[in-house]
Amino acid sequence: MTPLLFFLNACNCAWFADEKPQTNDLSEDEIAMMAPPDVSGAPADAQKTASGLAYKVLEPGKGGESPVNEDTVVLQYTGWTTDGKMFFSTHKKGKEKTVKLKQMLPGLAEGVKLMTVGERARLWVPEKLANDGKPGKPAGMLVYDVELEKIVPGPRPVPAPEDRSEEHTSELQSQFRISYAVFCLKKK
């Protein structure tokens, strides 16, 4: 290596910033743990939700249903702060994570509910939907690469009977008022 190239490389000069890291000798899990180039902020082609979550599909899923709040999901994911520091990775632990959607950070759960099985997506979760300034937790916007491997359906809410029309509801309210008034009179 020439002295000039050695100097520029040693200085980590911006001239080399566009070079992609060599990944030939890395495993799939090691590559999955590397911070993506857009970790500092969502790119222009990322979609945004009303809450401020930004997401981009990296690999489409198999289609089908998306998980809902009552479900448990099996995920592979890696999380970074916007300066590229990894704070968690299922790849590093060597095992997927099984978790109920209700127990996840609000922004991460919102993003997973947009996915289908087999889908890989990158999520940019604003601080208010992440750790919201909790001490000892990663601060600021968090970035996740998530793969939804499986949905384990949870109990579904029982739908209300169809005869719950306004007339029926007001009839029940009237019956309740009459019953309550009679109860109060009997008590005296």
Side-chain angles (χ1 to χ4, degrees):
M1 184 180 283
T2 66
L4 177 60
L5 286 177
F6 178 79
F7 173 75
L8 291 173
N9 195 19
C11 293
N12 202 8
C13 187
W15 189 52
F16 290 98
D18 291 336
E19 289 185 16
K20 293 184 179 179
Q22 295 297 319
T23 57
N24 300 347
D25 298 332
L26 299 177
S27 72
E28 195 174 308
D29 285 342
E30 290 171 318
I31 292 169
M33 290 186 285
M34 292 174 60
D38 54 7
V39 74
S40 63
D45 62 342
Q47 297 179 34
K48 279 200 170 184
T49 66
S51 69
L53 172 76
Y55 70 98
K56 182 177 180 177
V57 174
L58 303 175
E59 279 183 37
K62 300 173 186 170
E65 293 186 27
S66 295
V68 296
N69 275 338
E70 292 77 21
D71 294 337
T72 298
V73 292
V74 179
L75 306 167
Q76 287 279 2
Y77 71 96
T78 302
W80 301 273
T81 55
T82 54
D83 61 0
K85 290 182 182 159
M86 181 183 60
F87 58 87
F88 183 84
S89 178
T90 56
H91 298 280
K92 189 173 184 178
K93 293 186 176 250
K95 186 178 180 196
E96 69 276 347
K97 183 153 179 115
T98 301
V99 63
K100 291 183 179 183
L101 274 174
K102 290 179 181 180
Q103 296 172 338
M104 296 175 81
L105 295 174
L108 187 54
E110 180 183 349
V112 170
K113 287 191 279 187
L114 299 169
M115 300 172 71
T116 60
V117 172
E119 187 172 316
R120 275 189 349 102
R122 183 161 300 140
L123 311 173
W124 291 265
V125 181
E127 185 171 27
K128 68 180 181 187
L129 297 176
N131 292 316
D132 203 17
K134 291 180 187 160
K137 300 285 185 179
M141 180 174 68
L142 302 178
V143 181
Y144 292 93
D145 274 7
V146 181
E147 180 177 355
L148 178 57
E149 293 186 346
K150 184 178 178 182
I151 301 170
V152 180
R156 297 295 192 252
V158 178
E162 291 183 27
D163 65 327
R164 295 281 183 191
S165 64
E166 270 187 46
E167 288 176 21
H168 181 72
T169 303
S170 65
E171 181 183 318
L172 287 174
Q173 288 172 340
S174 296
Q175 289 174 2
F176 174 77
R177 284 189 197 109
I178 293 168
S179 299
Y180 182 73
V182 170
F183 174 75
C184 289
L185 288 174
K186 283 185 179 181
K187 239 181 151 185
K188 289 185 179 185

Coordinates of all heavy atoms in Angstrom, one line a residue, residues 94-188:
G94 N -28.4 -16.3 18.9 CA -28.5 -17.5 18.2 C -29.9 -18.2 18.3 O -30.1 -19.3 18.0
K95 N -30.9 -17.4 18.7 CA -32.3 -17.9 18.8 C -33.3 -16.8 18.5 O -33.1 -15.7 19.0 CB -32.4 -18.4 20.2 CG -33.7 -19.1 20.5 CD -33.8 -19.7 21.9 CE -35.2 -20.4 22.0 NZ -35.5 -20.6 23.4
E96 N -34.4 -17.2 17.9 CA -35.4 -16.2 17.6 C -36.1 -15.8 18.9 O -35.9 -16.5 19.9 CB -36.5 -16.8 16.6 CG -37.3 -17.9 17.1 CD -36.7 -19.3 17.0 OE1 -35.7 -19.4 16.3 OE2 -37.2 -20.2 17.6
K97 N -36.9 -14.8 18.9 CA -37.6 -14.3 20.1 C -39.1 -14.5 19.9 O -39.6 -14.1 18.9 CB -37.3 -12.8 20.3 CG -37.9 -12.3 21.6 CD -37.1 -11.1 22.1 CE -37.8 -10.6 23.4 NZ -37.0 -10.7 24.5
T98 N -39.7 -15.1 20.9 CA -41.1 -15.3 21.0 C -41.7 -14.3 22.0 O -41.3 -14.3 23.1 CB -41.5 -16.7 21.4 OG1 -40.9 -17.6 20.4 CG2 -43.0 -16.9 21.4
V99 N -42.6 -13.4 21.6 CA -43.1 -12.4 22.4 C -44.6 -12.0 22.1 O -45.0 -12.1 20.9 CB -42.2 -11.1 22.4 CG1 -42.2 -10.5 21.0 CG2 -42.6 -10.1 23.4
K100 N -45.3 -11.7 23.1 CA -46.7 -11.2 22.8 C -46.6 -9.8 22.4 O -45.9 -9.0 22.9 CB -47.5 -11.3 24.1 CG -47.8 -12.7 24.6 CD -48.7 -12.7 25.8 CE -49.0 -14.1 26.2 NZ -49.9 -14.2 27.3
L101 N -47.4 -9.4 21.4 CA -47.4 -8.1 20.8 C -47.7 -7.0 21.9 O -47.1 -6.0 21.9 CB -48.4 -7.9 19.7 CG -47.9 -8.3 18.3 CD1 -49.0 -8.3 17.3 CD2 -46.8 -7.5 17.9
K102 N -48.6 -7.3 22.8 CA -48.9 -6.4 23.9 C -47.8 -6.1 24.8 O -47.8 -5.0 25.5 CB -50.1 -7.0 24.8 CG -51.4 -7.1 24.1 CD -52.4 -7.7 25.1 CE -53.8 -7.8 24.4 NZ -54.7 -8.4 25.3
Q103 N -46.7 -6.9 24.8 CA -45.6 -6.7 25.7 C -44.4 -6.0 25.0 O -43.4 -5.7 25.6 CB -45.1 -8.0 26.2 CG -46.1 -8.7 27.1 CD -45.7 -10.1 27.5 OE1 -44.9 -10.8 26.9 NE2 -46.3 -10.6 28.6
M104 N -44.6 -5.7 23.7 CA -43.5 -5.0 22.9 C -43.6 -3.5 23.1 O -44.6 -3.0 23.5 CB -43.6 -5.4 21.5 CG -43.4 -6.9 21.2 SD -43.7 -7.3 19.5 CE -42.2 -6.8 18.8
L105 N -42.5 -2.9 22.7 CA -42.5 -1.4 22.7 C -43.6 -1.0 21.7 O -43.8 -1.7 20.7 CB -41.1 -0.9 22.1 CG -39.9 -1.1 23.0 CD1 -38.7 -0.6 22.3 CD2 -40.1 -0.3 24.3
P106 N -44.3 0.1 21.9 CA -45.4 0.4 21.1 C -45.1 0.6 19.6 O -45.8 0.1 18.7 CB -45.9 1.8 21.6 CG -45.4 1.8 23.0 CD -44.2 1.0 23.1
G107 N -43.9 1.2 19.3 CA -43.5 1.4 17.9 C -43.1 0.1 17.2 O -43.4 -0.1 16.0
L108 N -42.5 -0.8 17.9 CA -42.1 -2.1 17.4 C -43.3 -2.9 17.1 O -43.4 -3.5 16.1 CB -41.1 -2.8 18.3 CG -40.4 -4.0 17.9 CD1 -39.7 -3.9 16.5 CD2 -39.5 -4.6 18.9
A109 N -44.2 -2.9 18.1 CA -45.5 -3.7 17.9 C -46.3 -3.1 16.7 O -46.8 -3.9 15.9 CB -46.3 -3.6 19.1
E110 N -46.3 -1.8 16.6 CA -47.0 -1.2 15.4 C -46.4 -1.6 14.1 O -47.2 -2.0 13.2 CB -47.0 0.3 15.5 CG -47.7 1.0 14.4 CD -47.6 2.6 14.5 OE1 -47.1 3.1 15.5 OE2 -48.0 3.2 13.5
G111 N -45.1 -1.7 14.0 CA -44.5 -2.1 12.8 C -44.7 -3.6 12.5 O -44.9 -3.9 11.4
V112 N -44.6 -4.4 13.5 CA -44.8 -5.8 13.3 C -46.3 -6.1 12.9 O -46.5 -7.0 12.0 CB -44.5 -6.6 14.6 CG1 -44.9 -8.1 14.5 CG2 -43.0 -6.5 14.9
K113 N -47.2 -5.3 13.3 CA -48.6 -5.5 12.9 C -48.8 -5.2 11.4 O -49.9 -5.5 10.9 CB -49.6 -4.7 13.8 CG -49.7 -5.3 15.2 CD -50.8 -4.7 16.0 CE -50.4 -3.4 16.6 NZ -51.4 -2.8 17.5
L114 N -47.9 -4.5 10.8 CA -48.0 -4.2 9.4 C -47.4 -5.3 8.5 O -47.5 -5.3 7.3 CB -47.2 -2.9 9.1 CG -47.7 -1.6 9.8 CD1 -46.7 -0.5 9.6 CD2 -49.1 -1.2 9.3
M115 N -46.8 -6.3 9.1 CA -46.1 -7.3 8.4 C -46.9 -8.6 8.3 O -47.9 -8.8 9.0 CB -44.8 -7.7 9.2 CG -43.8 -6.5 9.3 SD -42.4 -6.8 10.4 CE -41.4 -7.9 9.4
T116 N -46.4 -9.5 7.3 CA -47.0 -10.8 7.2 C -45.8 -11.8 7.4 O -44.6 -11.4 7.3 CB -47.6 -11.0 5.8 OG1 -46.6 -10.9 4.8 CG2 -48.8 -10.1 5.6
V117 N -46.1 -13.1 7.6 CA -45.1 -14.1 7.9 C -44.1 -14.1 6.7 O -44.5 -14.1 5.5 CB -45.8 -15.5 8.1 CG1 -44.7 -16.6 8.2 CG2 -46.6 -15.4 9.4
G118 N -42.8 -14.2 7.1 CA -41.8 -14.2 6.1 C -41.3 -12.9 5.7 O -40.2 -12.8 5.0
E119 N -41.9 -11.8 6.1 CA -41.5 -10.5 5.7 C -40.3 -10.0 6.5 O -40.3 -10.3 7.7 CB -42.7 -9.5 5.8 CG -42.4 -8.1 5.3 CD -43.7 -7.3 5.3 OE1 -44.8 -7.8 4.9 OE2 -43.6 -6.1 5.7
R120 N -39.4 -9.3 5.9 CA -38.4 -8.6 6.6 C -38.5 -7.1 6.3 O -38.8 -6.7 5.2 CB -37.0 -9.0 6.0 CG -36.4 -10.2 6.6 CD -35.0 -10.6 6.3 NE -34.3 -9.8 5.2 CZ -33.5 -8.8 5.4 NH1 -33.2 -8.4 6.6 NH2 -32.9 -8.2 4.4
A121 N -38.5 -6.3 7.4 CA -38.7 -4.9 7.3 C -37.7 -4.1 8.2 O -37.2 -4.7 9.2 CB -40.1 -4.5 7.6
R122 N -37.5 -2.9 7.8 CA -36.7 -2.0 8.7 C -37.6 -1.0 9.2 O -38.4 -0.4 8.5 CB -35.5 -1.3 7.9 CG -34.6 -0.4 8.7 CD -33.3 -0.2 8.0 NE -32.6 -1.4 7.8 CZ -31.9 -1.7 6.6 NH1 -31.8 -0.7 5.7 NH2 -31.3 -2.8 6.5
L123 N -37.5 -0.8 10.6 CA -38.4 0.2 11.3 C -37.6 1.3 11.9 O -36.6 1.0 12.6 CB -39.2 -0.6 12.3 CG -39.9 -1.8 12.0 CD1 -40.5 -2.5 13.2 CD2 -41.0 -1.6 11.0
W124 N -38.0 2.5 11.7 CA -37.4 3.7 12.4 C -38.4 4.1 13.5 O -39.5 4.7 13.1 CB -37.1 4.8 11.5 CG -36.0 4.5 10.5 CD1 -34.6 4.8 10.7 CD2 -36.1 3.8 9.3 NE1 -33.9 4.3 9.6 CE2 -34.8 3.7 8.7 CE3 -37.1 3.2 8.6 CZ2 -34.5 3.0 7.5 CZ3 -36.8 2.5 7.4 CH2 -35.5 2.5 6.8
V125 N -38.2 3.8 14.7 CA -39.1 4.0 15.8 C -38.8 5.3 16.6 O -37.7 5.3 17.2 CB -39.1 2.8 16.8 CG1 -40.2 3.0 17.9 CG2 -39.4 1.5 16.0
P126 N -39.7 6.3 16.5 CA -39.4 7.5 17.2 C -39.3 7.3 18.7 O -39.9 6.3 19.2 CB -40.5 8.5 16.9 CG -41.5 7.6 16.2 CD -40.9 6.3 15.8
E127 N -38.6 8.1 19.5 CA -38.4 7.9 20.9 C -39.7 7.7 21.7 O -39.8 6.9 22.5 CB -37.6 9.1 21.5 CG -37.2 8.8 22.9 CD -36.2 9.8 23.5 OE1 -36.2 11.0 23.0 OE2 -35.5 9.5 24.4
K128 N -40.7 8.5 21.3 CA -42.0 8.4 22.1 C -42.6 7.1 21.9 O -43.4 6.7 22.7 CB -42.9 9.6 21.7 CG -43.4 9.5 20.3 CD -44.3 10.6 19.9 CE -44.8 10.3 18.4 NZ -45.5 11.2 17.8
L129 N -42.3 6.3 20.8 CA -42.9 5.0 20.6 C -41.9 3.9 21.0 O -42.2 2.7 20.8 CB -43.3 4.8 19.1 CG -44.4 5.8 18.6 CD1 -44.6 5.5 17.1 CD2 -45.7 5.6 19.4
A130 N -40.7 4.3 21.5 CA -39.7 3.4 21.9 C -39.6 3.4 23.4 O -40.5 3.0 24.1 CB -38.4 3.7 21.2
N131 N -38.5 3.8 23.9 CA -38.2 3.8 25.4 C -38.7 5.0 26.1 O -38.6 5.1 27.3 CB -36.8 3.5 25.7 CG -36.4 2.0 25.3 OD1 -37.2 1.1 25.5 ND2 -35.3 1.9 24.6
D132 N -39.0 6.0 25.3 CA -39.6 7.3 25.8 C -38.8 7.9 27.0 O -39.3 8.3 28.0 CB -41.1 7.1 26.3 CG -41.9 8.4 26.3 OD1 -41.4 9.4 25.7 OD2 -42.9 8.4 26.9
G133 N -37.5 7.8 26.9 CA -36.6 8.5 27.9 C -36.4 7.7 29.1 O -35.9 8.2 30.1
K134 N -36.8 6.4 29.2 CA -36.6 5.6 30.4 C -35.1 5.4 30.7 O -34.3 5.1 29.8 CB -37.2 4.2 30.2 CG -38.7 4.3 30.2 CD -39.3 2.9 30.0 CE -40.8 3.0 29.8 NZ -41.4 1.8 29.2
P135 N -34.7 5.7 31.9 CA -33.3 5.5 32.3 C -32.8 4.1 32.1 O -33.5 3.1 32.3 CB -33.2 5.9 33.8 CG -34.5 6.5 34.1 CD -35.5 6.1 33.0
G136 N -31.5 4.0 31.6 CA -30.9 2.7 31.4 C -31.3 2.0 30.1 O -30.9 0.9 29.8
K137 N -32.2 2.6 29.3 CA -32.6 2.0 28.0 C -32.0 2.9 26.9 O -31.7 4.0 27.1 CB -34.1 2.1 27.9 CG -34.9 1.3 29.0 CD -34.8 -0.1 28.8 CE -35.6 -0.9 29.8 NZ -35.5 -2.3 29.6
P138 N -31.9 2.3 25.7 CA -31.3 3.1 24.5 C -32.2 4.3 24.3 O -33.5 4.2 24.3 CB -31.4 2.1 23.4 CG -31.4 0.7 24.0 CD -32.1 0.9 25.3
A139 N -31.6 5.4 24.1 CA -32.3 6.7 24.0 C -32.5 7.1 22.5 O -31.8 6.6 21.6 CB -31.6 7.8 24.7
G140 N -33.4 8.0 22.3 CA -33.7 8.5 20.9 C -34.4 7.5 20.0 O -35.0 6.5 20.5
M141 N -34.3 7.9 18.7 CA -35.0 7.0 17.8 C -34.2 5.7 17.7 O -33.0 5.7 17.8 CB -35.0 7.6 16.4 CG -35.6 6.8 15.3 SD -35.7 7.6 13.7 CE -34.0 7.8 13.2
L142 N -34.9 4.6 17.6 CA -34.3 3.3 17.4 C -34.6 2.7 16.1 O -35.7 2.9 15.5 CB -34.8 2.3 18.5 CG -34.6 2.8 20.0 CD1 -35.2 1.8 21.0 CD2 -33.1 3.0 20.3
V143 N -33.7 1.9 15.5 CA -33.9 1.3 14.2 C -33.8 -0.2 14.4 O -32.9 -0.7 15.1 CB -32.8 1.8 13.3 CG1 -32.9 1.2 11.9 CG2 -32.7 3.3 13.2
Y144 N -34.8 -0.9 13.8 CA -34.9 -2.3 13.9 C -34.9 -3.0 12.5 O -35.7 -2.5 11.6 CB -36.1 -2.8 14.6 CG -36.1 -2.4 16.1 CD1 -36.7 -1.3 16.5 CD2 -35.6 -3.3 17.0 CE1 -36.7 -0.9 17.9 CE2 -35.6 -3.0 18.4 CZ -36.2 -1.8 18.8 OH -36.2 -1.5 20.1
D145 N -34.2 -4.0 12.3 CA -34.4 -4.9 11.2 C -35.2 -6.1 11.7 O -34.7 -6.8 12.7 CB -33.1 -5.4 10.5 CG -32.6 -4.4 9.5 OD1 -33.2 -3.3 9.3 OD2 -31.6 -4.7 8.8
V146 N -36.4 -6.4 11.2 CA -37.3 -7.4 11.8 C -37.7 -8.4 10.8 O -38.0 -8.0 9.6 CB -38.5 -6.7 12.4 CG1 -39.4 -7.8 13.1 CG2 -38.2 -5.6 13.4
E147 N -37.6 -9.7 11.1 CA -38.2 -10.7 10.3 C -39.3 -11.4 11.1 O -39.0 -11.9 12.2 CB -37.2 -11.7 9.8 CG -37.8 -12.8 8.9 CD -36.7 -13.8 8.3 OE1 -35.5 -13.6 8.6 OE2 -37.2 -14.7 7.7
L148 N -40.5 -11.4 10.5 CA -41.6 -12.1 11.2 C -41.7 -13.5 10.7 O -41.9 -13.8 9.6 CB -43.0 -11.4 10.8 CG -44.2 -12.0 11.4 CD1 -44.2 -12.1 12.9 CD2 -45.4 -11.2 11.0
E149 N -41.3 -14.5 11.6 CA -41.2 -15.9 11.3 C -42.5 -16.6 11.5 O -42.8 -17.5 10.7 CB -40.1 -16.5 12.1 CG -38.7 -16.0 11.7 CD -37.6 -16.8 12.4 OE1 -37.9 -17.6 13.4 OE2 -36.5 -16.7 12.0
K150 N -43.3 -16.2 12.5 CA -44.5 -17.0 12.8 C -45.5 -16.2 13.6 O -45.1 -15.3 14.4 CB -44.1 -18.3 13.6 CG -45.2 -19.2 13.9 CD -44.7 -20.4 14.6 CE -45.8 -21.4 15.0 NZ -45.2 -22.5 15.8
I151 N -46.8 -16.4 13.4 CA -47.8 -15.8 14.3 C -48.5 -16.9 15.0 O -49.0 -17.9 14.4 CB -48.8 -15.0 13.4 CG1 -48.2 -13.9 12.6 CG2 -50.0 -14.5 14.3 CD1 -49.1 -13.3 11.5
V152 N -48.6 -16.8 16.3 CA -49.4 -17.7 17.2 C -50.6 -17.0 17.6 O -50.5 -16.1 18.4 CB -48.5 -18.2 18.4 CG1 -49.4 -19.1 19.2 CG2 -47.2 -18.8 18.0
P153 N -51.8 -17.3 17.0 CA -53.0 -16.6 17.3 C -53.3 -16.6 18.8 O -53.3 -17.7 19.4 CB -54.1 -17.2 16.5 CG -53.3 -18.0 15.4 CD -52.0 -18.4 16.0
G154 N -53.7 -15.5 19.3 CA -54.2 -15.4 20.7 C -55.7 -15.4 20.7 O -56.3 -15.5 19.7
P155 N -56.3 -15.3 21.9 CA -57.7 -15.3 22.0 C -58.3 -14.1 21.3 O -57.7 -13.0 21.5 CB -58.0 -15.3 23.5 CG -56.7 -14.8 24.1 CD -55.6 -15.2 23.2
R156 N -59.3 -14.2 20.6 CA -60.0 -13.1 19.9 C -61.1 -12.6 20.7 O -61.8 -13.4 21.4 CB -60.5 -13.5 18.5 CG -59.4 -14.0 17.5 CD -58.5 -12.8 17.2 NE -57.6 -13.1 16.1 CZ -56.3 -13.3 16.2 NH1 -55.8 -13.3 17.4 NH2 -55.6 -13.5 15.2
P157 N -61.4 -11.3 20.7 CA -62.5 -10.8 21.5 C -63.8 -11.3 20.9 O -64.0 -11.6 19.7 CB -62.4 -9.3 21.3 CG -61.2 -9.0 20.5 CD -60.6 -10.3 20.1
V158 N -64.8 -11.6 21.8 CA -66.1 -12.1 21.4 C -66.9 -10.9 20.8 O -67.0 -9.9 21.5 CB -66.8 -12.7 22.6 CG1 -68.2 -13.1 22.2 CG2 -66.0 -13.8 23.3
P159 N -67.3 -11.1 19.6 CA -68.1 -10.0 19.0 C -69.4 -9.7 19.7 O -70.0 -10.7 20.2 CB -68.3 -10.4 17.5 CG -68.1 -11.9 17.5 CD -67.2 -12.2 18.7
A160 N -69.9 -8.5 19.7 CA -71.1 -8.2 20.3 C -72.3 -8.8 19.5 O -72.2 -8.9 18.3 CB -71.3 -6.7 20.4
P161 N -73.4 -9.2 20.2 CA -74.5 -9.7 19.4 C -75.0 -8.6 18.4 O -74.9 -7.4 18.7 CB -75.6 -10.0 20.5 CG -74.8 -10.0 21.7 CD -73.6 -9.2 21.6
E162 N -75.5 -9.1 17.3 CA -76.0 -8.2 16.3 C -77.2 -7.4 16.6 O -77.4 -6.4 16.0 CB -76.3 -9.0 15.0 CG -75.0 -9.6 14.4 CD -75.3 -10.3 13.1 OE1 -76.3 -9.9 12.4 OE2 -74.5 -11.2 12.8
D163 N -78.0 -7.8 17.7 CA -79.2 -7.1 18.0 C -78.9 -5.9 18.9 O -79.8 -5.3 19.6 CB -80.2 -8.0 18.6 CG -79.8 -8.5 20.0 OD1 -78.5 -8.8 20.1 OD2 -80.6 -8.8 20.8
R164 N -77.7 -5.4 18.9 CA -77.3 -4.2 19.8 C -77.6 -2.9 19.0 O -76.7 -2.1 19.0 CB -75.9 -4.3 20.2 CG -75.5 -5.5 21.1 CD -76.0 -5.2 22.5 NE -75.6 -6.3 23.3 CZ -76.0 -6.4 24.5 NH1 -76.8 -5.6 25.1 NH2 -75.7 -7.5 25.2
S165 N -78.7 -2.8 18.5 CA -79.1 -1.5 17.8 C -79.3 -0.4 18.8 O -79.4 -0.7 20.0 CB -80.3 -1.7 17.0 OG -81.4 -2.0 17.8
E166 N -79.4 0.8 18.4 CA -79.6 2.0 19.3 C -80.9 1.8 20.0 O -81.0 2.1 21.2 CB -79.7 3.3 18.5 CG -78.3 3.9 18.4 CD -78.4 5.3 17.7 OE1 -79.3 6.1 18.1 OE2 -77.6 5.5 16.8
E167 N -82.0 1.3 19.3 CA -83.3 1.1 20.0 C -83.2 0.1 21.1 O -83.7 0.3 22.2 CB -84.3 0.6 19.0 CG -84.8 1.6 18.0 CD -85.7 1.0 16.9 OE1 -86.3 -0.1 17.2 OE2 -85.8 1.6 15.9
H168 N -82.4 -1.0 20.8 CA -82.3 -2.1 21.8 C -81.5 -1.5 23.0 O -81.8 -1.8 24.2 CB -81.6 -3.3 21.2 CG -81.4 -4.4 22.2 ND1 -82.4 -5.2 22.6 CD2 -80.2 -4.9 22.8 CE1 -81.9 -6.1 23.5 NE2 -80.6 -5.9 23.6
T169 N -80.4 -0.7 22.8 CA -79.6 -0.2 23.8 C -80.4 0.8 24.7 O -80.4 0.7 25.9 CB -78.4 0.6 23.3 OG1 -77.7 -0.4 22.4 CG2 -77.5 1.1 24.3
S170 N -81.2 1.7 24.1 CA -82.0 2.6 24.9 C -83.1 1.8 25.7 O -83.5 2.2 26.8 CB -82.6 3.7 24.0 OG -83.6 3.2 23.1
E171 N -83.6 0.7 25.1 CA -84.6 -0.1 25.8 C -84.0 -0.7 27.1 O -84.6 -0.7 28.1 CB -85.1 -1.2 24.9 CG -86.2 -2.1 25.5 CD -86.6 -3.2 24.5 OE1 -86.8 -2.9 23.3 OE2 -86.8 -4.3 25.0
L172 N -82.8 -1.2 26.9 CA -82.1 -1.8 28.1 C -81.8 -0.7 29.1 O -81.9 -0.9 30.3 CB -80.7 -2.4 27.6 CG -80.9 -3.7 26.9 CD1 -79.5 -4.1 26.4 CD2 -81.5 -4.8 27.7
Q173 N -81.4 0.5 28.7 CA -81.2 1.6 29.6 C -82.4 1.9 30.4 O -82.4 2.2 31.6 CB -80.6 2.8 28.9 CG -79.2 2.6 28.4 CD -78.8 3.8 27.5 OE1 -79.6 4.5 27.0 NE2 -77.5 3.9 27.4
S174 N -83.6 2.0 29.7 CA -84.9 2.3 30.4 C -85.2 1.2 31.4 O -85.6 1.5 32.5 CB -86.0 2.4 29.3 OG -85.8 3.5 28.5
Q175 N -85.0 -0.1 31.0 CA -85.3 -1.2 31.9 C -84.4 -1.1 33.2 O -84.8 -1.3 34.3 CB -85.1 -2.5 31.2 CG -86.2 -2.8 30.2 CD -85.9 -4.1 29.5 OE1 -84.9 -4.8 29.7 NE2 -86.8 -4.5 28.5
F176 N -83.1 -0.7 33.0 CA -82.2 -0.6 34.1 C -82.6 0.5 35.0 O -82.6 0.4 36.2 CB -80.8 -0.3 33.5 CG -79.8 0.0 34.6 CD1 -79.3 -1.0 35.4 CD2 -79.4 1.3 34.9 CE1 -78.4 -0.8 36.5 CE2 -78.5 1.6 35.9 CZ -78.0 0.5 36.7
R177 N -83.1 1.7 34.4 CA -83.5 2.8 35.3 C -84.7 2.4 36.1 O -84.8 2.7 37.3 CB -83.8 4.0 34.4 CG -82.6 4.7 33.8 CD -83.0 6.0 33.2 NE -81.9 6.5 32.3 CZ -81.9 6.5 31.0 NH1 -82.9 6.1 30.3 NH2 -80.8 6.9 30.4
I178 N -85.6 1.7 35.5 CA -86.8 1.3 36.2 C -86.5 0.3 37.3 O -86.9 0.4 38.5 CB -87.9 0.7 35.3 CG1 -88.4 1.7 34.3 CG2 -89.0 0.0 36.0 CD1 -89.2 1.2 33.2
S179 N -85.6 -0.7 37.0 CA -85.2 -1.7 38.0 C -84.4 -1.0 39.1 O -84.6 -1.3 40.3 CB -84.2 -2.7 37.4 OG -84.9 -3.4 36.4
Y180 N -83.6 0.0 38.8 CA -82.8 0.7 39.8 C -83.7 1.5 40.7 O -83.6 1.5 42.0 CB -81.8 1.6 39.2 CG -80.9 2.3 40.2 CD1 -79.9 1.6 40.9 CD2 -81.1 3.7 40.4 CE1 -79.1 2.3 41.8 CE2 -80.3 4.4 41.3 CZ -79.3 3.7 42.0 OH -78.5 4.3 42.9
A181 N -84.7 2.2 40.1 CA -85.7 3.0 40.9 C -86.5 2.1 41.9 O -86.7 2.4 43.0 CB -86.6 3.7 40.0
V182 N -86.9 0.9 41.4 CA -87.7 -0.1 42.2 C -86.8 -0.6 43.4 O -87.2 -0.6 44.5 CB -88.2 -1.2 41.4 CG1 -88.8 -2.4 42.2 CG2 -89.3 -0.7 40.4
F183 N -85.5 -0.9 43.1 CA -84.6 -1.3 44.1 C -84.4 -0.3 45.2 O -84.4 -0.6 46.3 CB -83.2 -1.7 43.4 CG -82.1 -2.0 44.4 CD1 -82.1 -3.2 45.0 CD2 -81.1 -1.1 44.7 CE1 -81.1 -3.6 45.9 CE2 -80.1 -1.4 45.6 CZ -80.1 -2.6 46.2
C184 N -84.3 1.0 44.8 CA -84.1 2.1 45.7 C -85.3 2.2 46.6 O -85.2 2.5 47.8 CB -83.7 3.4 45.0 SG -82.1 3.4 44.3
L185 N -86.5 2.1 46.0 CA -87.8 2.2 46.8 C -87.9 1.1 47.8 O -88.3 1.3 48.9 CB -89.0 2.3 45.9 CG -89.1 3.5 45.0 CD1 -90.3 3.4 44.0 CD2 -89.4 4.7 45.9
K186 N -87.5 -0.1 47.4 CA -87.7 -1.3 48.3 C -86.7 -1.2 49.4 O -87.0 -1.7 50.5 CB -87.4 -2.6 47.5 CG -88.5 -3.0 46.7 CD -88.2 -4.4 46.0 CE -89.3 -4.9 45.2 NZ -89.0 -6.2 44.6
K187 N -85.5 -0.5 49.2 CA -84.5 -0.4 50.3 C -85.0 0.5 51.4 O -84.6 0.3 52.5 CB -83.3 0.2 49.6 CG -82.1 -0.7 49.8 CD -80.9 -0.1 49.2 CE -79.7 -0.7 50.0 NZ -78.5 -0.1 49.6
K188 N -85.8 1.5 51.1 CA -86.3 2.5 52.1 C -87.3 1.8 52.9 O -87.7 1.5 53.8 CB -86.9 3.7 51.4 CG -85.9 4.5 50.7 CD -86.6 5.7 50.2 CE -85.6 6.6 49.5 NZ -86.1 7.9 49.1

